[in-house]
Amino acid sequence: MAVDELDTRILRLLLEQPRTSVREYARVLGVARGTLQARLDRLERDGVITGTAPSLSPAALGHPVLAFVHIEVTQGHLDDVGDALAAVPEIVEAFSITGGGDLLTRVVARDNAHLEDVIQSLISLPGVVRTRTEVALRERVPYRLLPLVESVGRAAGN
């Protein structure tokens, strides 16, 4: 999907001012409200905009420990284990991967003892062979998309 300069400006506003109205976005961008709404609809339809939910902090919800757990799965059980992971509330993301392990999960916990309990529950899942855990010490680059949006916008302008 091609993203042009106006799309890039729209995406920048959405990231920088997520609680602003469509009318205000249109005013700031100097475009008609209908034009802006059509662009937003297309960006959603094309999968560029994937949601409008607020960004939440697991730490503020009482889960300050972040770990990345690699899970090795018995051959032929990847889907079953993936489905089982979806039932574990402390797993906030899970990906099939190449390299060491079959799945990479992002796990949050109240403390290290709680993290150990979560890991033990993962090890007991049918199809899980072993896990390897890496605990995050400090976030160095927070999740962000604005630099990518700006890069795509620059490329679209060339």
Side-chain angles (χ1 to χ4, degrees), residues 3-16:
V3 174
D4 64 17
E5 185 180 341
L6 178 56
D7 292 333
T8 301
R9 290 173 54 215
I10 291 168
L11 294 171
R12 173 188 266 287
L13 271 177
L14 288 173
L15 291 170
E16 291 177 341

Side-chain angles (χ1 to χ4, degrees), residues 26-93:
R27 187 193 66 73
V28 168
L29 294 169
V31 299
R33 185 180 179 285
T35 299
L36 179 65
Q37 189 62 60
R39 292 290 184 117
L40 289 171
D41 292 345
R42 181 179 52 79
L43 290 167
E44 285 182 21
R45 188 174 53 252
D46 290 347
V48 175
I49 298 173
T50 59
T52 57
S55 179
L56 304 178
S57 166
L61 291 170
H63 289 68
V65 175
L66 171 63
F68 298 93
V69 180
H70 299 257
I71 301 172
E72 187 177 322
V73 177
T74 304
Q75 286 189 346
H77 290 89
L78 191 60
D79 289 338
D80 296 334
V81 173
D83 291 344
L85 295 178
V88 180
E90 295 85 0
I91 294 180
V92 295
E93 289 183 297

